[in-house]
Amino acid sequence: MKMIIIGYGAVSSAFLPILISELKEEITSLKIIAPHIENKCTIEHGITINWHTETLTRENYKSILNDLDEQTFLVNLSVDVASLQLISLCHEAGALYLDTCIEPWAGQYTDSRIDLQHRTNYSLRDRALAKKRLLRDGPTAVIAHGANPGLVSHFVKQALLNLRHDVYGTSDYIPATRQEWARLAWQLNVKTIHIAEHDTQTANIAKEPGEFINTWSVDGFIGEGCQPSELGWGTHELTLPIGACFHAPAYRKSIYFNRPGASVRLKTWTPACGPCLGFLITHNESISLADYFTYAINDTDDYRPTVTYAYHPCNDAVLSLHELNGNSLQPQQRKRVLQGHEICDGADYLGVLLMGHEKNAYWYGSILNNATAQNLNPASSATTLQVAAGVLAGVKWAIKHPRQGIVESEEMDFQFVLDVARCYLGDMVGTYTDWTPVDKDGRLFPRRFNTSDIWQFENFLE
């Protein structure tokens, strides 16, 4: 198998060692294409790696990727390289494909000439699903499969099974279809799902003014932070937030704001520090999970949970976002992605928070300390190793299922994926909490909460 990796940033450098360790017997050649690497040839664990200095654009990507064939696996870990064009190219050549998000060409996230609605992940996914219908039964192309989006969709399924066990008792039955999974969520009365992530990693050298710091791609985080904030919209919701619109009013499955995700905050909970404020950053899984867990109760009524990504990045990244917002979303001149050895302490708490059921709220996910990540893979931080684990699991699944066409995370075997990824995720933890977004006392400042249903989205908004 010929492996081609596009992009060599923090995630790629974390992914490469575990890829070679796990699949070295199957890889016949390995090429890495990125703009900021040196043209060279190296040998690692008996595998020759060819490094190519190239920037892929809409004008040159076909000529650079002219050696794709049925023995090729193309892994897109870059920013600003359009996923759908690469998928079409792989389809024509019979090559396998994986990316960690559905990426457009450079500049499209922030192009003011493009209507807000068409700069959203809903729009990007909608185009990918149209291509999925067109390219059915072709070579497998796994879209949006890193840690989140990616692993978190599998976390939701495992969390539902754990919750079912604790509410109804032991059951060995695993839902086999999309509607069976959706029915389980409906039966458990899961109203709201947060992809609830709190990154507590601390840099050895703190952020300086005019610098953006992050524990994974700075360009990737700025790009998604400047997209309109959006989320999957549940059927229990009563009030559309001010400044929000439905993507498709006839279906009412998701909404977007006339504000960037970097400026929208909501209350959430993780085991890191308990209650916290997360940024409502747009992510593919917010849309795809809400869609996947839509259940037809009868001919007229549907069930669907509200799904949001509530992200508390590391403290230096929070300061970086404040500075970005203060400068009218003009990116800082200096950018620093923290490598594992540049982090003195902390962990990434990446999980899913299921709310509204009879046990109130349940968080399930990965708690990975940076020190543990360093022991597993010195090239990574906790965050990048979690993403790399999702990429590795997606690659292995695609190799095992090579003729599935375009595939989303929710359509994959969650047990297979988690079995592959688990050894790189630190502690897998499930914990209940009595936390809710409603301040029942109103001790300092009176606020009008919707107390008829405490899980209304309006109660989470800061």
Side-chain angles (χ1 to χ4, degrees):
M1 178 177 59
K2 301 188 300 184
M3 293 291 304
I4 300 176
I5 300 173
I6 301 173
Y8 195 71
V11 171
S12 290
S13 61
F15 171 60
L16 184 60
I18 64 174
L19 170 71
I20 293 174
S21 173
E22 298 251 358
L23 290 176
K24 61 185 176 183
E25 302 301 327
E26 300 181 49
I27 298 173
T28 57
S29 69
L30 179 54
K31 181 193 295 185
I32 298 174
I33 303 170
H36 304 299
I37 59 175
E38 177 187 351
N39 280 315
K40 60 183 178 180
C41 179
T42 62
I43 298 177
E44 296 187 25
H45 300 285
I47 294 179
T48 300
I49 306 176
N50 291 296
W51 305 75
H52 291 265
T53 308
E54 295 281 3
T55 299
L56 267 67
T57 66
R58 66 173 78 236
E59 290 77 26
N60 68 13
Y61 77 98
K62 288 185 178 180
S63 60
I64 292 174
L65 298 172
N66 61 3
D67 56 345
L68 301 180
D69 59 27
E70 293 179 354
Q71 302 303 313
T72 305
F73 202 129
L74 179 65
V75 179
N76 181 12
L77 300 180
S78 67
V79 295
D80 298 337
V81 179
S83 300
L84 297 188
Q85 278 72 22
L86 295 186
I87 289 171
S88 293
L89 197 63
C90 287
H91 180 83
E92 294 169 6
L96 301 178
Y97 174 85
L98 178 140
D99 61 38
T100 56
C101 68
I102 306 170
E103 191 79 11
W105 290 116
Q108 291 187 25
Y109 284 146
T110 55
D111 188 342
S112 60
R113 296 168 298 178
I114 302 174
D115 184 82
L116 275 180
Q117 184 174 359
H118 300 297
R119 302 205 304 263
T120 61
N121 277 320
Y122 179 95
S123 178
L124 289 167
R125 177 176 180 261
D126 197 45
R127 282 174 264 165
L129 293 182
K131 189 172 285 289
K132 173 184 173 72
R133 293 187 289 269
L134 185 65
L135 303 182
R136 64 180 62 187
D137 301 327
T140 297
V142 178
I143 56 173
H145 200 281
N148 54 319
L151 289 180
V152 293
S153 293
H154 309 296
F155 290 177
V156 171
K157 289 183 175 179
Q158 186 61 60
L160 286 170
L161 295 183
N162 296 349
L163 183 58
R164 181 186 68 182
H165 175 274
D166 294 344
V167 171
Y168 298 131
T170 303
S171 173
D172 295 329
Y173 181 71
I174 306 296
T177 67
R178 176 175 181 161
Q179 279 293 280
E180 286 186 352
W181 279 109
R183 183 173 63 200
L184 176 58
W186 169 65
Q187 289 171 336
L188 289 167
N189 198 34
V190 174
K191 291 186 174 182
T192 298
I193 299 173
H194 283 184
I195 311 306
E197 179 178 7
H198 194 157
D199 185 347
T200 66
Q201 294 169 99
T202 305
N204 288 326
I205 302 174
K207 169 186 154 41
E208 296 181 354
E211 180 183 42
F212 199 114
I213 288 183
N214 197 22
T215 54
W216 55 282
S217 171
V218 167
D219 290 330
F221 192 20
I222 291 176
E224 67 183 25
C226 291
Q227 285 181 267
S229 185
E230 61 185 321
L231 62 145
W233 193 244
T235 48
H236 71 287
E237 300 289 0
L238 301 173
T239 305
L240 192 67
I242 296 172
C245 301
F246 288 107
H247 284 102
Y251 298 105
R252 302 168 68 93
K253 289 184 177 181
S254 60
I255 64 172
Y256 67 98
F257 285 82
N258 186 24
R259 292 172 60 190
S263 71
V264 181
R265 298 188 302 176
L266 75 164
K267 291 174 281 187
T268 193
W269 187 95
T270 78
C273 305
C276 68
L277 283 178
F279 290 93
L280 207 170
I281 302 291
T282 176
H283 257 204
N284 184 83
E285 77 271 14
S286 299
I287 312 302
S288 62
L289 277 168
D291 189 15
Y292 188 83
F293 284 101
T294 298
Y295 175 61
I297 301 171
N298 51 47
D299 291 340
T300 58
D301 298 312
D302 285 343
Y303 155 84
R304 180 173 51 259
T306 293
V307 184
T308 67
Y309 178 33
Y311 181 32
H312 189 304
C314 73
N315 288 344
D316 282 316
V318 172
L319 293 175
S320 300
L321 283 180
H322 288 331
E323 189 175 57
L324 180 73
N325 281 316
N327 197 30
S328 301
L329 301 180
Q330 296 300 310
Q332 290 89 328
Q333 291 297 310
R334 299 191 308 280
K335 303 171 184 177
R336 177 154 53 107
V337 178
L338 298 177
Q339 303 296 314
H341 65 275
E342 297 174 309
I343 297 169
C344 60
D345 196 14
D348 204 321
Y349 295 71
L350 171 64
V352 295
L353 182 66
L354 279 58
M355 294 168 275
H357 47 81
E358 72 173 57
K359 290 185 171 291
N360 193 65
Y362 177 66
W363 188 94
Y364 176 80
S366 159
I367 301 177
L368 180 59
N369 288 293
N370 181 66
T372 302
Q374 286 286 282
N375 289 333
L376 290 170
N377 181 357
S380 66
S381 67
T383 310
T384 56
L385 187 57
Q386 287 169 327
V387 179
V391 174
L392 176 69
V395 165
K396 284 194 166 186
W397 185 90
I399 291 171
K400 187 176 180 181
H401 304 87
R403 299 292 299 180
Q404 298 296 310
I406 295 177
V407 176
E408 293 191 284
S409 304
E410 294 80 11
E411 299 171 299
M412 300 162 66
D413 179 350
F414 81 103
Q415 292 173 310
F416 177 92
V417 169
L418 292 180
D419 284 346
V420 172
R422 189 171 284 112
C423 64
Y424 301 105
L425 297 178
D427 295 324
M428 294 302 298
V429 172
T431 182
Y432 290 98
T433 173
D434 60 2
W435 174 84
T436 77
V438 174
D439 177 6
K440 299 181 179 66
D441 297 332
R443 289 166 295 172
L444 296 178
F445 296 96
R447 173 178 169 180
R448 183 176 297 173
F449 288 101
N450 188 325
T451 54
S452 66
D453 178 8
I454 60 173
W455 306 111
Q456 287 292 299
F457 177 73
E458 62 183 294
N459 290 339
F460 290 94
L461 273 179
E462 164 66 4

